[in-house]
């Protein structure tokens, strides 16, 4: 799998993509993540990639030409399953979407910026518009980093213990149960006895009950 990210702020994406599981997955060649500076595709002598909007509102709009050049170049090199555009008015990114995208081939993520992007880009190049939640970010870079993190850790082999991705919160629409480690007692606060019992069936039952109870209490919407 290869993920190409097109952005006006490539620096912002360097560190989030190069630590921990994302770093290891790239070192193991499970995924290749390539960040492109949109300005490299500008033909303007000042490397401009934005301009004033027709119709005279405030704010700048990302131009179609550099985006066309970047996407056309990438598509000439390999096939892509989706051209994703990060935007607050997109479809909500969630665990099922992360699962689907982790099984995709190659992805382009175009980070939105400025007031918006020439709508023709959305009509003619973008195949999927995605938001990470109902709040407004300065740009799509942090959203792209979050999506990459959620997608890449689901690629088989990215996480050492494969069970641990399967038991994540949300993976089966339930929140994860509490976990504990040594010491079994700290300042009089004890780890639940069942976890120390060695009785695996009882432990699994307890975990499932805890998941259900926490989901009912904290996220009843997941059970609907
Ligand atoms: Cl994908 N972009 C921006 N600019 N703001 C957001 C977002 C994306 N998702 C939530 N807020």
């Amino acid at each position: 799998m290869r993920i190409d990210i097109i952005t006006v702020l490539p620096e912002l994406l360097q560190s989030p993509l190069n630590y921990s599981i994302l770093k290891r997955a790239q070192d193991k060649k499970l995924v290749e993540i390539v960040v492109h500076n949109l300005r490299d595709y500008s033909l303007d002598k000042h490397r401009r990639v934005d301009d004033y909007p027709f119709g005279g509102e405030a704010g700048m709009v990302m131009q179609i030409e550099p985006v066309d050049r970047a996407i056309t170049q990438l598509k000439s090199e390999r096939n892509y399953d989706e051209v994703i555009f990060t935007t607050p008015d997109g479809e909500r990114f969630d665990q099922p979407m992360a699962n689907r995208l982790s099984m995709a081939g190659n992805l382009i993520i175009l980070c939105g910026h400025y007031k918006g992007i020439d709508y023709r880009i959305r009509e003619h190049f973008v195949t999927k518009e995605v938001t990470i939640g109902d709040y407004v970010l300065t740009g799509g870079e942090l959203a792209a980093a979050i999506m990459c993190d959620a997608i890449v850790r689901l690629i088989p082999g990215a996480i050492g213990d494969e069970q641990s991705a399967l038991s994540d919160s949300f993976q089966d629409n339930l929140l994860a149960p509490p976990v504990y480690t040594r010491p079994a007692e700290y300042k009089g606060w004890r780890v639940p006895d069942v976890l120390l019992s060695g009785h695996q069936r009882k432990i699994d039952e307890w975990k499932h009950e805890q998941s259900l109870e926490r989901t009912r209490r904290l996220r009843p919407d997941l059970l609907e």
Side-chain angles (χ1 to χ4, degrees), residues 116-164:
I117 185 162
D118 190 310
Y119 204 78
R120 290 169 292 187
I121 296 168
R122 298 171 68 162
E123 290 173 324
H124 299 289
F125 295 111
V126 170
T127 60
K128 194 172 186 63
E129 304 188 322
V130 181
T131 178
I132 60 164
D134 288 343
Y135 37 81
V136 179
L137 302 171
T138 314
E141 285 74 18
L142 297 178
I146 283 168
M147 289 167 51
C148 282
D149 188 308
I151 292 166
V152 169
R153 64 189 294 285
L154 293 170
I155 298 173
I159 293 184
D161 167 13
E162 270 175 57
Q163 277 308 109
S164 88

